[in-house]
Amino acid sequence: MAWEMSSDRPIYTQILEKIQTRIVCGVYQPGERLPSVRDLAAEASVNPNTMQRAFTELERGRLIVTLRNSGRIVTEDKQLINMVRHTMATTQITNFFANMRELGYTNQEIIALINSTIQS
C-alpha cells in the first residue's frame, strides 16, 4: 500500500519524516535492521533514488547507521531518539498554536479548549 504524500512539500522530506516517526514511536526499534531502500521505495510507491535521499538525510542526522554488507540499522542511541521525538512534538505544538492564533484564539483560549477536549 502506497504511503500518502502531499504535493506541497518534497517527497523525500515526507519520507524522512515518516521513517523518523516510525523510529521514535518504536515501529523500528533501536538496533533493528531497516527494510532495504528498494523494499521501502516499493512500499511507498516512490523512486528508489528518492528513498535513498531520505536515508542519506537520516544517516546525516545519525538516526540510522549503515553497516558494511549488512544494510542499515536504527541507531542504538536512545537519547538521540528521545531528542528527535521531543523536537518533532515541539514542532507539532508550535504549528498547532500558530494555526489556532490564525483562527483568532488567544493562548488562554487555546489552553481552555485543549483542557475541555481532554476532559470529554
mmCIF file of all heavy atoms in Angstrom, residues 28 38 41 44 51 59-60 69 74 84-85 91 97:
data_model
loop_
_atom_site.group_PDB
_atom_site.id
_atom_site.type_symbol
_atom_site.label_atom_id
_atom_site.label_comp_id
_atom_site.label_asym_id
_atom_site.label_seq_id
_atom_site.Cartn_x
_atom_site.Cartn_y
_atom_site.Cartn_z
ATOM 1 N N TYR A 28 10.254 0.839 14.376
ATOM 2 C CA TYR A 28 11.624 0.376 14.146
ATOM 3 C C TYR A 28 12.375 0.596 15.449
ATOM 4 O O TYR A 28 12.566 1.722 15.890
ATOM 5 C CB TYR A 28 12.301 1.153 13.020
ATOM 6 C CG TYR A 28 11.633 1.039 11.661
ATOM 7 C CD1 TYR A 28 11.503 2.142 10.835
ATOM 8 C CD2 TYR A 28 11.153 -0.181 11.188
ATOM 9 C CE1 TYR A 28 10.909 2.043 9.582
ATOM 10 C CE2 TYR A 28 10.554 -0.286 9.936
ATOM 11 C CZ TYR A 28 10.439 0.832 9.140
ATOM 12 O OH TYR A 28 9.854 0.733 7.905
ATOM 13 N N ARG A 38 15.105 -0.401 -1.730
ATOM 14 C CA ARG A 38 14.183 -0.853 -2.776
ATOM 15 C C ARG A 38 12.849 -1.320 -2.200
ATOM 16 O O ARG A 38 11.792 -1.022 -2.743
ATOM 17 C CB ARG A 38 14.812 -1.976 -3.596
ATOM 18 C CG ARG A 38 15.927 -1.474 -4.481
ATOM 19 C CD ARG A 38 16.225 -2.469 -5.585
ATOM 20 N NE ARG A 38 17.321 -2.012 -6.421
ATOM 21 C CZ ARG A 38 17.202 -1.105 -7.384
ATOM 22 N NH1 ARG A 38 16.041 -0.563 -7.637
ATOM 23 N NH2 ARG A 38 18.246 -0.738 -8.102
ATOM 24 N N ALA A 41 10.994 1.757 -0.996
ATOM 25 C CA ALA A 41 10.570 2.539 -2.156
ATOM 26 C C ALA A 41 9.344 1.908 -2.802
ATOM 27 O O ALA A 41 8.396 2.609 -3.177
ATOM 28 C CB ALA A 41 11.713 2.665 -3.163
ATOM 29 N N ALA A 44 6.349 2.548 -0.576
ATOM 30 C CA ALA A 44 5.900 3.942 -0.630
ATOM 31 C C ALA A 44 5.512 4.380 -2.042
ATOM 32 O O ALA A 44 5.014 5.489 -2.233
ATOM 33 C CB ALA A 44 6.998 4.860 -0.098
ATOM 34 N N MET A 51 13.976 7.502 -2.081
ATOM 35 C CA MET A 51 14.112 6.837 -0.785
ATOM 36 C C MET A 51 15.558 6.920 -0.304
ATOM 37 O O MET A 51 15.818 7.163 0.881
ATOM 38 C CB MET A 51 13.662 5.380 -0.894
ATOM 39 C CG MET A 51 13.615 4.644 0.428
ATOM 40 S SD MET A 51 12.462 5.337 1.642
ATOM 41 C CE MET A 51 10.884 4.943 0.888
ATOM 42 N N GLU A 59 20.827 9.294 7.903
ATOM 43 C CA GLU A 59 22.197 8.966 8.323
ATOM 44 C C GLU A 59 22.933 10.217 8.792
ATOM 45 O O GLU A 59 23.646 10.183 9.783
ATOM 46 C CB GLU A 59 22.980 8.333 7.167
ATOM 47 C CG GLU A 59 22.700 6.876 6.983
ATOM 48 C CD GLU A 59 23.604 6.247 5.959
ATOM 49 O OE1 GLU A 59 23.299 6.351 4.754
ATOM 50 O OE2 GLU A 59 24.621 5.658 6.362
ATOM 51 N N ARG A 60 22.726 11.306 8.070
ATOM 52 C CA ARG A 60 23.340 12.574 8.466
ATOM 53 C C ARG A 60 22.898 12.984 9.865
ATOM 54 O O ARG A 60 23.677 13.528 10.633
ATOM 55 C CB ARG A 60 22.960 13.671 7.469
ATOM 56 C CG ARG A 60 24.152 14.405 6.958
ATOM 57 C CD ARG A 60 23.782 15.487 5.964
ATOM 58 N NE ARG A 60 24.341 15.081 4.689
ATOM 59 C CZ ARG A 60 23.787 15.219 3.524
ATOM 60 N NH1 ARG A 60 22.619 15.791 3.421
ATOM 61 N NH2 ARG A 60 24.380 14.808 2.448
ATOM 62 N N ASN A 69 27.945 -4.350 4.334
ATOM 63 C CA ASN A 69 27.360 -5.634 3.913
ATOM 64 C C ASN A 69 26.182 -6.111 4.756
ATOM 65 O O ASN A 69 25.752 -7.241 4.615
ATOM 66 C CB ASN A 69 28.431 -6.735 3.883
ATOM 67 C CG ASN A 69 29.538 -6.418 2.914
ATOM 68 O OD1 ASN A 69 29.304 -5.824 1.872
ATOM 69 N ND2 ASN A 69 30.751 -6.811 3.258
ATOM 70 N N VAL A 74 18.704 1.027 12.822
ATOM 71 C CA VAL A 74 18.330 2.184 13.634
ATOM 72 C C VAL A 74 19.420 2.357 14.685
ATOM 73 O O VAL A 74 19.928 1.379 15.242
ATOM 74 C CB VAL A 74 16.962 1.944 14.322
ATOM 75 C CG1 VAL A 74 16.618 3.083 15.263
ATOM 76 C CG2 VAL A 74 15.880 1.746 13.273
ATOM 77 N N VAL A 84 15.003 13.541 19.184
ATOM 78 C CA VAL A 84 14.281 13.718 17.914
ATOM 79 C C VAL A 84 12.775 13.689 18.167
ATOM 80 O O VAL A 84 12.028 14.502 17.618
ATOM 81 C CB VAL A 84 14.702 12.648 16.879
ATOM 82 C CG1 VAL A 84 13.795 12.663 15.657
ATOM 83 C CG2 VAL A 84 16.158 12.841 16.478
ATOM 84 N N ARG A 85 12.338 12.782 19.013
ATOM 85 C CA ARG A 85 10.910 12.681 19.370
ATOM 86 C C ARG A 85 10.428 13.995 19.984
ATOM 87 O O ARG A 85 9.370 14.514 19.630
ATOM 88 C CB ARG A 85 10.711 11.520 20.335
ATOM 89 C CG ARG A 85 9.281 11.292 20.744
ATOM 90 C CD ARG A 85 9.199 10.030 21.610
ATOM 91 N NE ARG A 85 7.839 9.762 21.987
ATOM 92 C CZ ARG A 85 7.394 9.776 23.238
ATOM 93 N NH1 ARG A 85 8.222 10.009 24.241
ATOM 94 N NH2 ARG A 85 6.133 9.528 23.492
ATOM 95 N N THR A 91 7.643 20.775 17.403
ATOM 96 C CA THR A 91 7.263 21.330 16.102
ATOM 97 C C THR A 91 5.751 21.226 15.898
ATOM 98 O O THR A 91 5.110 22.186 15.435
ATOM 99 C CB THR A 91 8.008 20.602 14.969
ATOM 100 O OG1 THR A 91 9.409 20.779 15.161
ATOM 101 C CG2 THR A 91 7.593 21.132 13.600
ATOM 102 N N PHE A 97 -0.294 25.845 17.637
ATOM 103 C CA PHE A 97 -0.558 27.167 18.208
ATOM 104 C C PHE A 97 -0.601 28.239 17.132
ATOM 105 O O PHE A 97 -1.461 29.134 17.184
ATOM 106 C CB PHE A 97 0.482 27.514 19.284
ATOM 107 C CG PHE A 97 0.072 27.087 20.669
ATOM 108 C CD1 PHE A 97 0.260 25.786 21.098
ATOM 109 C CD2 PHE A 97 -0.518 27.988 21.545
ATOM 110 C CE1 PHE A 97 -0.134 25.378 22.364
ATOM 111 C CE2 PHE A 97 -0.920 27.594 22.812
ATOM 112 C CZ PHE A 97 -0.720 26.284 23.223
#
